[in-house]
Amino acid sequence: MFRFIHSSDLHLGRRFGNFPEDARGRLVEARHAAIGRLAASAQDHGASHVLLAGDVFDTETPSDAVWRHALAAMSFAQGIQWWILPGNHDSLAAEALWGSVRTHAPTNVHLLGAPEPVEIAPRVVLLPAPVPRRFPGRDLTEWMPLCATPEDHFRIGLAHGGVLSFGSEDGGAEIIPPDRAKSARLDYLALGDWHGLKQFGDRTFYSGTPERDRFKHGGPGSCLAVTLMGPGTVPQVNAIQTGQFDWREAPLALTPAQDAVAALEMLLPAEGRARRDMLLRIRAAGWVRLPARMALARAAELATPEFWHFEFDDADLATECSLEDLDGIALSGALRLAAEGLHQRSEDAATNPTDRAIAAAALRRLYNYVQGEAQ
């Protein structure tokens, strides 16, 4: 029997430049802390090896602090052997990076820099497919079926890239056949590149990143605990939560007949500590009345500070405006004329969509301003 942890896509050094500055620090630190959580997962499941299937680093030129802190964290994990595969973000073309890693790596950290078999434990052979450059232009696992190993040895493939049936995240032509585990007689094929958990057959898995970095793959990050009972047997694979942050995205479809604020509150998780470690994006769509639109915006604004990051996207939410709503701005005078003009322009089919959207936004802002002054 052989047990190990399969992980990938740590992207250490990612800066999260598309997030507000005050949200970035903990997101960056959580990625580094994932190393410790992977080590703890290995120890909890009786595994002494962690296989990292590419993109340990976010770029080919991480700062010295990023890679040195990573090596220090791996060194601190006593009894754990780390096997690092270069991916497309940190390919072998990063000669300065990998040269420094080789020079400073502790004895329990191993760089897989060549497509050749490595016996990582007695009767356990690892077949790695390191990425030579960001776009290699070919299937890097094609050598695996031709690699002979003793019949009583485990064969584990380790690669980074897209599988035929869903493609690479970077849209490249470097396709790994979905039946590679079968054609190469692999007991398990550990893949990286896709940031969510995904399975192809009984032996081919994407572990996903241990710490999420986008809304595309919801929930906390995870790794896979893999147990091989014997050569040729179907592996036992269990997902283990490792992520500190919970990423969620939810649609909010509205109609004027609904209570928009209540509908929003139903999507929000229960109040408490969990919200502090959550990044939530709500995408509103449909139609609401002007007062409901204002109340909805206020409710989203009130909820925002409770989350580590909260986005309320209402770009696809249209607003119905009645004469009664215009009365909420002014019954007469200049404000009333301005409101009617904006309303007419926002509803005029002859006006181009961009100008209609601007007029609708201006009308909402005018309504919010007047109502805010009234309160």
Side-chain angles (χ1 to χ4, degrees), residues 106-163:
T107 57
N108 67 329
V109 176
H110 313 275
L111 174 62
L112 300 164
E116 57 189 23
V118 180
E119 188 166 357
I120 64 174
R123 297 194 306 157
V124 180
V125 177
L126 186 63
L127 280 63
V131 179
R133 54 188 177 277
R134 188 173 180 89
F135 302 106
R138 61 185 178 85
D139 169 23
L140 299 175
T141 69
E142 60 187 357
W143 70 278
M144 294 181 182
L146 306 176
C147 179
T149 58
E151 291 186 3
D152 64 344
H153 282 41
F154 289 110
R155 290 167 61 91
I156 302 172
L158 186 65
H160 187 89
V163 170

Side-chain angles (χ1 to χ4, degrees), residues 4 12 205 272 334:
F4 62 94
L12 301 175
F205 288 81

